[in-house]
Amino acid sequence: MKSNLFISEQELNEQRRIAADLYREIAPRNLTFFVETFGCQMNVRDSETIRGWLTEIGYSEAAEKESADLILFNTCCVRDHAEKRLMGNIGALKELKDNNPGLIIGVCGCMMQQEGIAKKLLKRFPHVSLIFGTNVLHRIPEMLRAVMNGERIAVTDRANDAIAETLPRLRDNQRSAFVNIMYGCDNYCSYCIVPYVRGHERSRRPENVRNEIESLVSNGITEITLLGQNVNSYGNDGSAGMHFADLLRYVSDVPGLKRLRFMSSHPKDLNEDVMQAIAELPNVCHHVHLPVQSGNNEILRRMNRKYTREHYLSIIERMRTLVPDIEFTTDIIVGFPGETEEAFEDTLSLVETVGFAAAFTFAYSPRQGTVAARMEDQIPESVKKRRLQSLNALQAQKTIENNEKYIGHVGEVLVEGFDERGPETMLYGKYQNFKMVYFPGDPMLLNRYITVQVNKTNKNSLLGEMIHA
Ligand code: 5AD
Ligand code: SF4
């Protein structure tokens, strides 16, 4: 086992001490922060830690950017033109800084782990004074103290990827929470920047995962989503002492935990043991987010996905045998380098065959430093766009078909929100298998489990009525 797997308690105590010092200075001044989060659930979870620290340091949360004394962008670099958009967002803050010279502007997250970008930002934007990456969240008090002393800093230490436990956390949500089980990724899918920015795969200890869940549940949370880039490879480095299926078994019996979810799964690691655990544990939800990326074996090989179309379909079939009401969602990339018209048709036919409840579809976008960005046969944007449109049209059709089988369905919904725009207030929430349903009801029922029967479908959504609260 590596010796630097965890940040020491001593180091964390030092940060807590700095936070307490800053608190005495900051709290009486009624300063506020605003954190804007881009990207995936990992970043959402990281922002909870950042907001937790800022609260512990004495800031309170601002309602909007314009009135905040500290603005932080938590960035993503997985797809699209995120860098250009970020530059625009930061540029737009100059006026706020001119009006409030004490304003601290910071940028953090995955994009800051990319080579050279932190330096570039500091040079280009004198009003940015704080930059940090994804591996140093435990050092926020120390970093902020430096900035308050007039320094401009960039801490994007790639080598230091030890796990920090028991950091503070500020959550919005009173019903469900994300719990990291691992960090980083070792899969190196050829299109993906994540392994370069989030570092190699590290798993938390099972008892730390369970403790966090117990603490959340004792605070009223009933739905937990275990998070990792590839949760199915949990413990593969040997440091956790168990694999994912056993982790599911180990945490699922926390008293009061009604729903246990996890994401994302990698088809190459979703083995029989995990499938059995999903089938046998009563509170593990019947939903798997299983990114397929492509339905063509040659493209899957070039993507370095390490499974075939046939293997993927065999998982779907096996899971449906074990758990008949299971739903699958997926991620798909179109226009990967070398994707011929025939290869794309294979993706369409896979989508047709599986019948996903939903698919998140993306046009391939080259990420600097990845293997695919250097491949020949890059696909023109116009072709990617056309393929994306036809894939989306097919999935929209499949979503309608999938919805139709829910007419008459009765099950428990966890109420997530409400919409008061129409003639009557509509509540919405998900069945345990991730299907969302809308139904008339009282906003007082927020965060409660309500039995709902579906009686109509409406293109993308299910409409139902409350059977009993
Ligand atoms: N281009 C397009 N989509 C990508 N994804 C990851 N990297 C890229 C890229 N370079 C998609 C994959 C992944 C999801 C989180 O984002 O489908 O599963
Ligand atoms: Fe990226 Fe592949 Fe790792 Fe997912 S499994 S984060 S797509 S490298």
Side-chain angles (χ1 to χ4, degrees):
M1 198 189 289
K2 282 197 331 196
S3 58
N4 66 340
L5 217 50
F6 296 92
I7 305 289
S8 71
E9 205 35 44
Q10 198 183 0
E11 195 176 332
L12 291 177
N13 279 336
E14 172 62 10
Q15 296 295 330
R16 291 184 191 114
R17 197 188 56 69
I18 299 171
D21 280 351
L22 290 172
Y23 186 90
R24 280 188 284 280
E25 207 181 304
I26 305 274
R29 293 164 59 198
N30 293 323
L31 298 179
T32 60
F33 70 82
F34 188 87
V35 178
E36 187 159 349
T37 309
F38 301 86
C40 69
Q41 286 83 0
M42 292 283 168
N43 271 15
V44 172
R45 175 67 192 87
D46 284 352
S47 284
E48 290 182 346
T49 297
I50 294 165
R51 292 160 65 225
W53 268 130
L54 293 175
T55 308
E56 206 161 307
I57 287 167
Y59 286 92
S60 53
E61 193 148 27
E64 77 280 302
K65 220 171 6 205
E66 287 66 29
S67 66
D69 301 285
L70 188 159
I71 300 173
L72 196 59
F73 292 118
N74 191 359
T75 63
C76 166
C77 58
V78 170
R79 293 181 298 266
D80 307 330
H81 310 291
E83 191 176 324
K84 228 164 106 190
R85 235 178 310 138
L86 175 72
M87 299 291 176
N89 282 333
I90 300 176
L93 295 185
K94 172 137 192 342
E95 206 183 314
L96 287 180
K97 176 78 176 176
D98 288 343
N99 294 335
N100 174 10
L103 172 65
I104 294 174
I105 298 171
V107 193
C108 64
C110 299
M111 202 196 291
M112 299 304 103
Q113 301 278 111
Q114 279 181 285
E115 206 71 60
I117 185 136
K119 249 197 198 142
K120 188 159 114 188
L121 283 185
L122 283 183
K123 195 160 161 219
R124 175 153 169 206
F125 298 107
H127 57 291
V128 170
S129 54
L130 171 63
I131 292 180
F132 56 92
T134 51
N135 297 338
V136 290
L137 299 189
H138 58 288
R139 289 174 56 193
I140 287 177
E142 165 202 336
M143 294 188 286
L144 210 55
R145 182 178 62 183
V147 170
M148 285 173 174
N149 288 335
E151 288 180 46
R152 299 178 70 223
I153 58 168
V155 186
T156 55
D157 189 351
R158 286 194 189 203
N160 183 358
D161 53 13
I163 296 175
E165 292 290 351
T166 67
L167 298 183
R169 168 177 200 168
L170 182 65
R171 283 182 292 107
D172 291 325
N173 193 315
Q174 299 310 311
R175 79 193 151 263
S176 44
F178 295 127
V179 171
N180 291 111
I181 61 168
M182 56 204 298
Y183 302 93
C185 183
D186 285 342
N187 289 310
Y188 290 91
C189 300
S190 62
Y191 52 82
C192 186
I193 190 108
V194 167
Y196 303 91
V197 293
R198 288 231 169 220
H200 75 92
E201 201 168 285
R202 299 90 77 194
S203 297
R204 288 178 74 192
R205 289 209 170 119
E207 57 274 23
N208 290 338
V209 174
R210 186 171 166 117
N211 286 345
E212 186 175 341
I213 295 174
E214 281 175 351
S215 143
L216 288 161
V217 173
S218 72
N219 280 300
I221 296 286
T222 58
E223 180 180 67
I224 294 288
T225 305
L226 304 176
L227 277 189
Q229 303 295 345
N230 170 12
V231 291
N232 307 109
S233 63
Y234 176 81
N236 275 3
D237 65 354
S239 62
M242 62 171 77
H243 289 287
F244 184 60
D246 288 327
L247 180 76
L248 282 177
R249 294 185 181 102
Y250 176 69
V251 302
S252 75
D253 65 352
V254 168
L257 175 60
K258 294 248 309 175
R259 291 181 171 183
L260 183 57
R261 302 188 180 282
F262 53 89
M263 71 185 304
S264 288
S265 288
H266 194 306
K268 79 177 166 58
D269 298 309
L270 193 105
N271 57 27
E272 177 70 18
D273 199 16
V274 175
M275 295 197 243
Q276 291 290 348
I278 298 169
E280 94 205 13
L281 298 168
N283 56 356
V284 170
C285 292
H286 294 173
H287 165 236
V288 182
H289 181 64
L290 194 63
V292 67
Q293 313 296 2
S294 167
N296 175 270
N297 283 337
E298 175 58 13
I299 295 295
L300 287 172
R301 191 189 62 74
R302 288 163 61 97
M303 286 178 163
N304 194 29
R305 290 291 287 177
K306 302 199 171 79
Y307 56 84
T308 60
R309 170 195 180 94
E310 291 71 28
H311 180 68
Y312 187 91
L313 291 174
S314 76
I315 298 172
I316 302 281
E317 199 181 308
R318 176 73 181 140
M319 278 275 29
R320 284 183 170 152
T321 307
L322 290 172
V323 183
D325 70 338
I326 199 150
E327 288 288 6
F328 293 95
T329 54
T330 199
D331 294 343
I332 298 169
I333 298 176
V334 301
F336 184 83
E339 187 186 65
T340 59
E341 222 37 64
E342 293 70 41
F344 172 62
E345 304 259 322
D346 285 343
T347 296
L348 292 179
S349 81
L350 181 131
V351 167
E352 180 65 50
T353 306
V354 174
F356 294 106
F360 302 91
T361 58
F362 311 105
Y364 168 72
S365 92
R367 304 288 87 189
Q368 211 186 356
T370 61
V371 171
R374 295 191 293 273
M375 286 179 182
E376 286 169 13
D377 331 321
Q378 298 284 331
I379 305 293
E381 289 305 317
S382 57
V383 175
K384 290 183 199 168
K385 204 168 146 196
R386 177 170 51 74
R387 289 182 185 166
L388 196 57
Q389 279 166 354
S390 64
L391 175 60
N392 287 344
L394 173 62
Q395 180 54 42
Q397 187 51 41
K398 300 305 284 185
T399 306
I400 292 170
E401 283 171 29
N402 183 285
N403 283 347
E404 271 156 16
K405 58 178 205 221
Y406 281 85
I407 301 280
H409 176 84
V410 177
E412 262 195 345
V413 168
L414 172 54
V415 183
E416 287 175 24
F418 54 90
D419 184 345
E420 289 182 311
R421 286 172 304 181
E424 58 185 340
T425 302
M426 298 297 279
L427 306 182
Y428 58 86
K430 293 190 189 81
Y431 288 122
Q432 61 86 12
N433 70 356
F434 215 63
K435 286 299 284 188
M436 174 86 99
V437 57
Y438 288 77
F439 58 101
D442 189 329
M444 291 282 289
L445 298 175
L446 195 66
N447 302 336
R448 296 254 307 268
Y449 289 84
I450 307 291
T451 303
V452 176
Q453 174 163 17
V454 176
N455 43 30
K456 267 207 308 222
T457 70
N458 185 2
K459 223 174 171 191
N460 283 319
S461 50
L462 302 175
L463 298 173
E465 62 188 1
M466 205 150 65
I467 299 293
H468 50 78

